[in-house]
Amino acid sequence: MTSHRPIDYRGNDDSDLDSAREREKQRALALAASVGSLMVGMRRGGLSGLALGAFSGYLAYRASTGRGLKGTGRSLMQGAERTLTGHRAGPLELSAAVTIARPSEQLYDFWRDFTRLPAIMTSITAVEILADDRSRWHAETPLGGTYEWEAEIVEDVPGERIAWRSIEGSDVPQTGEIRFVPAPGGRGTQVELKLRYELPHGLLAAAPLGFVNALSREAVREDLRHFKQVMEAGEVPTAAIHTTPHEGVIR
Amino acid sequence: MKAVCWHGAQDMRVDNVADPQILNPRDAIIKVTSTAICGSDLHLYGGFMPGMQSGDIVGHEFMGEVVELGSAVTNLTVGNRVVVPFTIACGQCFFCDSGYHSLCDNSNPNAGVAEKMWGQSPSGLFGYTHILGGYAGGQAEYVRVPYADVGPMVVPESVSDEQALFLTDIFPTGYQAIAQCDMQPGDTVAIWGCGPVGQFAIASAKMLGAGRVIAIDTVNERLDMAARQHGAETLNPRDVGNTLQIVEALRDMTAGRGPDICVDAVGLEAHGVGLEYWYDNVKQSLQMETARPIVLRQAIMACRKAGTVSIPGVYGGIADKIPVGALMNKALTIKTGQTHVQHYLQPLMDHVERGDIDPSFVITHRMRLDEAPEAYDMFQARRDNCIKVVMQP
Ligand SMILES: [Zn+2]
Ligand SMILES: [Zn+2]
């Protein structure tokens, strides 16, 4: 395993938000927003909901308190709260990794065609290719808020690495990098995704869009899990019962 | 369609629900012809498993006729009569490739929740909690089967529903409990729990060449079945006593060695005798532990030095007072897991087809799907010598 930098939820020091009162307010608002998105997610059901988002810890807590395990559950819940509310203004860095039993070239090829990513990334609704190194990304949050940005590729090493950044004036300024590293023992490829969001007004400003849900390590991890499912099994599993039929994803 | 739905502890109902649909290219829809209630369904019925939601369709032992196929399923045709593994597996990940289908990396849509509970997620299962996927189960008229190109197996015409049905779970589960133990000729196998899985573990131990099989259960009808069907020796804890006395009895029966292989086919709802049972029962009802691991303790204490403790019985959460000192100092091996049904399906179907074994021997009750609530109640209370219920929609 390659080592991963721990996620820094603290961000930069920002004296404007430093007072305890302000922090409390921010915490309450962000929680309210996320509970709202929780309800929407539950109503919608399926993958877009909360089950696979920032609240999976909470779900595990709920599930586990069905019978015992209360201590574990509570600490998971505290973890979820920290993710959502501990962030102040400044950059937010998220990273996650997954092992996929496929060669790195195949994984790179899928990912490099950005138009295929909405199939695996919960919040991305569409990607338009503007030029070989330019693309426009459309995203929707569980609350129904939409946002978009234009990205340009800053590094592209076939079979190994793609790095990108949003161009000036994007709703949510961000940079990202995906790396494909051969896994030990011929067990496929370790895929490492790193995202960095510039949040000049803090996570709170993103909350009204429901954007907080997408800004969690769990959400990034789930998107990588979908990538693995599509590359290995050809489809993203679902246990949905009341949903409209679709043809799924064929690689 | 009609389906058996969980609505809380001691509350199974036959509800009218929406028919399943093809959702993914590798799906199939099966019209269920036979379905069974599993001992592990009683853990749901008793309210012992976390992660159930009111209205969940239960049932993971079912077979039937293919009525609809997703665009990517080319090895089956509509009208095929198939038996369906209870473990949902993609067939194409590292674990499926290694024959560990119940550990499939890709089939649990709620893998993130299972990871919070257990570190990593096993495969999805039909009708067995949202932690294991929240898939609708097969105690219903129709069921959606994911990865239908690698799971369901076409049943030969010469094999009846009742002979094929238990290839979904309990036959391979009992078989794996023994097959994973590296059994040597002449080994003595002790099996706690002589419900259906225990019966198939006993049958498999004999089939794989065990020297002796000792069947342990508190229900005499089950012990009778074990003796009658498979020539097992029997031990009833109610006649013997508490954990220490059972361990002593097993030591005596094996001239001091202890059974080479000890199988816990009971799991989290074990019944026992005396203070230990009382202790676990109180802790479990106070939600301080999720299991009553009485059998597991006995198996570890009784097992021969350097022997193997095999656990096909289902556990979900945490247990305490596990004799880890005995485990370590006796250099025991633990083998466990949900069953890699896909891995055993073909060889066991061959055994059935050849007539080496007729799995229908465990059936004690045949009922209609409508009667599911009564069937659960009867099975849980062990009324009418109930060991295995098969239902037809
Ligand atoms: Zn079962
Ligand atoms: Zn798999």
Side-chain angles (χ1 to χ4, degrees):
Chain A
M1 278 295 284
T2 50
S3 62
H4 302 289
R5 202 138 45 96
I7 308 158
D8 183 4
Y9 294 117
R10 286 168 297 133
N12 295 343
D13 271 323
D14 186 326
S15 51
D16 286 350
L17 290 174
D18 249 355
S19 82
R21 231 184 109 224
E22 196 57 35
R23 271 204 306 276
E24 254 329 285
K25 193 170 137 199
Q26 180 176 343
R27 179 187 152 89
L29 277 171
L31 256 187
S34 51
V35 168
S37 63
L38 165 89
M39 308 297 271
V40 171
M42 287 182 108
R43 263 210 311 281
R44 285 190 165 188
L47 294 174
S48 67
L50 95 104
L52 302 173
F55 270 85
S56 58
Y58 175 65
L59 262 197
Y61 159 78
R62 285 281 305 273
S64 62
T65 47
R67 292 276 157 179
L69 279 178
K70 280 186 176 137
T72 318
R74 197 170 299 124
S75 64
L76 289 174
M77 184 54 188
Q78 281 158 359
E81 276 177 30
R82 243 196 328 276
T83 310
L84 292 168
T85 62
H87 182 77
R88 283 175 277 158
L92 172 72
E93 291 186 7
L94 300 170
S95 67
V98 68
T99 302
I100 304 182
R102 293 290 179 265
S104 56
E105 293 73 23
Q106 196 183 332
L107 304 182
Y108 166 89
D109 287 347
F110 183 98
W111 195 280
R112 182 62 181 79
D113 179 1
F114 297 143
T115 61
R116 296 205 264 193
L117 296 185
I120 57 170
M121 302 185 90
T122 304
S123 61
I124 306 295
T125 51
V127 181
E128 298 166 72
I129 305 300
L130 307 173
D132 189 47
D133 63 345
R134 275 283 179 115
S135 49
R136 170 163 287 278
W137 296 62
H138 300 264
E140 192 182 59
T141 70
L143 278 180
T146 58
Y147 52 102
E148 56 180 70
W149 65 91
E150 223 172 286
E152 62 179 351
I153 292 176
V154 293
E155 204 183 335
D156 186 4
V157 185
E160 288 180 23
R161 178 171 189 264
I162 309 167
W164 60 92
R165 67 167 172 240
S166 58
I167 64 158
E168 211 126 313
S170 297
D171 285 353
V172 188
Q174 56 186 283
T175 59
E177 178 191 5
I178 188 158
R179 281 159 45 87
F180 305 92
V181 183
R187 291 176 197 179
T189 305
Q190 290 175 187
V191 178
E192 301 161 13
L193 180 60
K194 278 186 191 162
L195 301 171
R196 180 187 163 100
Y197 297 92
E198 304 298 331
L199 300 170
H201 308 293
L203 196 53
L204 182 59
L209 287 172
F211 195 51
V212 281
N213 252 10
L215 290 187
S216 72
R217 187 179 187 183
E218 278 80 2
V220 177
R221 207 182 264 150
E222 284 309 322
D223 286 350
L224 280 186
R225 196 195 304 284
H226 298 160
F227 183 34
K228 173 183 169 75
Q229 288 161 341
V230 166
M231 297 313 295
E232 291 184 350
E235 59 190 39
V236 174
T238 174
I241 294 166
H242 304 288
T243 185
T244 46
H246 58 83
E247 267 303 290
V249 183
I250 279 285
R251 68 167 179 270
Chain B
M1 68 164 183
K2 281 187 294 190
V4 180
C5 298
W6 184 93
H7 286 275
Q10 316 296 327
D11 189 3
M12 291 288 188
R13 299 177 205 166
V14 179
D15 288 344
N16 250 314
V17 301
D19 287 357
Q21 298 166 320
I22 299 280
L23 300 177
N24 267 334
R26 297 176 64 191
D27 288 355
I29 305 293
I30 308 292
K31 182 180 197 292
V32 176
T33 53
S34 293
T35 177
I37 302 177
C38 182
S40 64
D41 289 331
L42 290 184
H43 301 324
L44 306 178
Y45 187 53
F48 291 100
M49 295 297 285
M52 289 296 286
Q53 292 172 13
S54 184
D56 285 348
I57 302 174
V58 295
H60 57 266
E61 301 180 359
F62 60 90
M63 60 180 298
E65 186 192 322
V66 175
V67 292
E68 201 183 340
L69 289 168
S71 57
V73 187
T74 53
N75 62 318
L76 296 174
T77 52
V78 169
N80 277 159
R81 182 165 154 260
V82 293
V83 62
V84 181
F86 80 103
T87 42
I88 300 172
C90 80
Q92 292 167 6
C93 65
F94 170 81
F95 294 97
C96 288
D97 272 351
S98 314
Y100 297 124
H101 293 84
S102 79
L103 303 175
C104 175
D105 254 348
N106 293 318
S107 62
N108 184 358
N110 298 336
V113 177
E115 283 173 356
K116 290 275 193 286
M117 296 272 297
W118 298 323
Q120 275 81 27
S121 174
S123 78
L125 303 181
F126 287 103
Y128 213 77
T129 80
H130 288 261
I131 300 167
L132 296 173
Y135 286 100
Q139 287 170 15
E141 289 181 282
Y142 295 90
V143 60
R144 169 182 163 253
V145 175
Y147 312 115
D149 52 334
V150 297
M153 174 173 284
V154 176
V155 181
E157 250 176 58
S158 62
V159 176
S160 71
D161 264 30
E162 291 193 348
Q163 291 169 322
L165 180 58
F166 304 131
L167 290 167
T168 56
D169 177 1
I170 55 175
F171 185 12
T173 297
Y175 187 87
Q176 176 179 294
I178 306 300
Q180 68 189 356
C181 290
D182 190 26
M183 190 169 69
Q184 301 299 309
D187 270 1
T188 297
V189 181
I191 295 170
W192 279 256
C194 299
V197 168
Q199 297 291 339
F200 280 108
I202 294 164
S204 302
K206 287 281 182 184
M207 213 158 74
L208 292 168
R212 292 168 69 192
V213 177
I214 302 171
I216 306 165
D217 203 297
T218 54
V219 180
N220 281 325
E221 289 76 23
R222 296 171 163 208
L223 293 177
D224 292 346
M225 184 183 267
R228 189 176 64 240
Q229 294 281 345
H230 319 291
E233 298 163 61
T234 61
L235 192 70
N236 188 332
R238 295 209 193 283
D239 304 334
V240 180
N242 62 25
T243 286
L244 288 179
Q245 289 161 319
I246 291 164
V247 171
E248 206 169 278
L250 287 166
R251 202 190 299 134
D252 289 346
M253 289 171 82
T254 52
R257 300 188 306 276
D260 306 277
I261 293 170
C262 290
V263 179
D264 172 3
V266 177
L268 59 84
E269 278 187 78
H271 290 266
V273 173
L275 192 64
E276 183 192 7
Y277 176 61
W278 178 83
Y279 167 88
D280 285 308
N281 214 10
V282 168
K283 280 201 93 168
Q284 195 173 34
S285 47
L286 292 175
Q287 302 187 14
M288 291 166 72
E289 63 182 343
T290 56
R292 299 193 297 255
I294 297 164
V295 163
L296 184 55
R297 293 184 195 126
Q298 292 175 358
I300 291 170
M301 291 298 290
C303 194
R304 193 207 73 187
K305 289 183 284 184
T308 302
V309 173
S310 178
I311 313 170
V314 170
Y315 289 88
I318 51 170
D320 74 5
K321 304 281 188 291
I322 301 299
V324 66
L327 182 67
M328 187 273 159
N329 287 286
K330 294 200 293 179
L332 302 183
T333 299
I334 300 254
K335 298 295 265 183
T336 185
Q338 298 280 3
T339 310
H340 314 300
V341 179
Q342 286 85 341
H343 184 66
Y344 295 108
L345 204 48
Q346 185 65 60
L348 294 185
M349 181 69 90
D350 292 346
H351 276 300
V352 174
E353 210 182 348
R354 281 201 304 265
D356 298 341
I357 182 170
D358 180 352
S360 64
F361 75 87
V362 289
I363 303 174
T364 53
H365 290 75
R366 295 167 177 85
M367 301 172 79
R368 285 178 296 109
L369 191 70
D370 293 324
E371 301 171 295
E374 295 92 279
Y376 270 92
D377 191 49
M378 177 180 65
F379 187 24
Q380 186 189 46
R382 317 247 185 272
R383 272 202 311 277
D384 195 25
N385 299 337
C386 180
I387 291 177
K388 191 72 179 177
V389 182
V390 173
M391 300 182 297
Q392 288 184 330

